[in-house]
Amino acid sequence: MTESVPGRALLDLVAVMDRLRSPGGCPWDARQTHTSLLRYLVEESYEVVDAVENGTRAELRDELGDLLLQVVFHARVAQEDPEEPFGIDDVAAAIVAKLERRHPHVFAGEAVAEDLQAGWDAIKATEGARESVLDGIPLQLPALARADKVLGRLQRNGLAAPAAPGEGVDEESVGRELLDLVRRAHAAGVDPEAALRVTTRRLETAARETERHRGAGAAG
């Protein structure tokens, strides 16, 4: 009996998506665009989070399948672009190349870096023309997730001092403090999401200005 090859079922999913999108398939699927599919991509991502935190193993499997469908769906839509088409194989090849490039200690025989995160950041900096360490952080992230991402980038690059962890700080205590802050913001009529976005943008602006001064000093 031939052993099943991992990933074989992915070919079935690609074939099913191709049939749904092709003439004679599903009219709804045929109408979709990258833009119209965005709401489903976001919803399915949050449903995966919910399944991890609150669901069963079967629910997590199903939600991961729904999220995988969104990737395959977007790749199938991209395949039809008249100017810059790409397909699921291009998507897979790109992420394989990125993973291998960002893990030289696994695929290129290099020694494991003492600070893996710093090594990854250095590799990322060579992958594209980025003017700032903050480039590439999606504006659409929820405010709290984006603030965490921004602070992490700034701290790793010496643009923000990390806070010393206080005693007794854990997930539960942080959650209580955040909830209390939201409660006080609500009582004051302040939108906490908007407030954090504004403050994070100010932090980003100041950090980018510091980067420009550093760059000017190095060039001089």
Side-chain angles (χ1 to χ4, degrees):
M1 187 174 187
T2 304
E3 185 179 349
S4 177
V5 178
R8 181 188 57 78
L10 295 176
L11 298 178
D12 296 335
L13 175 58
V14 172
V16 167
M17 188 68 252
D18 182 67
R19 183 171 180 183
L20 291 172
R21 183 78 179 179
S22 298
C26 174
W28 185 89
D29 289 274
R31 287 197 305 269
Q32 301 313 304
T33 65
H34 289 304
T35 301
S36 70
L37 289 171
L38 284 181
R39 57 175 292 190
Y40 304 107
L41 179 61
V42 173
E43 288 172 5
E44 299 300 352
S45 297
Y46 278 113
E47 287 177 9
V48 168
V49 173
D50 186 59
V52 169
E53 295 180 344
N54 306 301
T56 65
R57 299 293 293 173
E59 288 169 340
L60 176 57
R61 179 200 62 207
D62 290 346
E63 295 302 344
L64 285 171
D66 290 341
L67 183 58
L68 178 60
L69 171 61
Q70 293 305 308
V71 175
V72 173
F73 206 151
H74 274 279
R76 182 61 179 81
V77 172
Q79 189 176 317
E80 301 168 15
D81 189 275
E83 298 179 357
E84 297 182 79
F86 61 82
I88 191 65
D89 286 333
D90 301 298
V91 173
I95 190 59
V96 166
K98 182 183 291 186
L99 287 172
E100 292 180 347
R101 185 170 62 248
R102 293 186 179 180
H103 294 80
H105 54 288
V106 177
F107 299 102
E110 295 186 11
V112 179
E114 290 186 10
D115 187 341
L116 281 175
Q117 185 63 62
W120 287 326
D121 287 342
I123 294 170
K124 290 177 188 177
T126 67
E127 293 177 347
R130 291 188 172 183
E131 297 180 356
S132 169
V133 298
L134 297 173
D135 288 351
I137 300 178
L139 291 171
Q140 294 81 4
L141 279 176
L144 190 57
R146 194 163 192 281
D148 180 65
K149 196 84 170 176
V150 167
L151 278 173
R153 291 268 186 97
L154 294 182
Q155 289 171 352
R156 289 196 301 273
N157 288 275
L159 292 164
E167 291 185 9
V169 175
D170 55 20
E171 186 176 89
E172 185 176 349
S173 65
V174 170
R176 285 198 304 268
E177 289 181 27
L178 287 173
L179 187 58
D180 183 61
L181 184 59
V182 171
R183 184 181 295 112
R184 287 189 282 126
H186 181 75
V190 174
D191 180 347
E193 181 86 2
L196 184 55
R197 284 193 180 281
V198 169
T199 304
T200 301
R201 281 199 297 270
R202 289 174 182 160
L203 177 63
E204 290 179 90
T205 299
R208 289 177 185 274
E209 187 64 26
T210 299
E211 286 181 304
R212 280 193 288 271
H213 285 310
R214 283 184 179 180

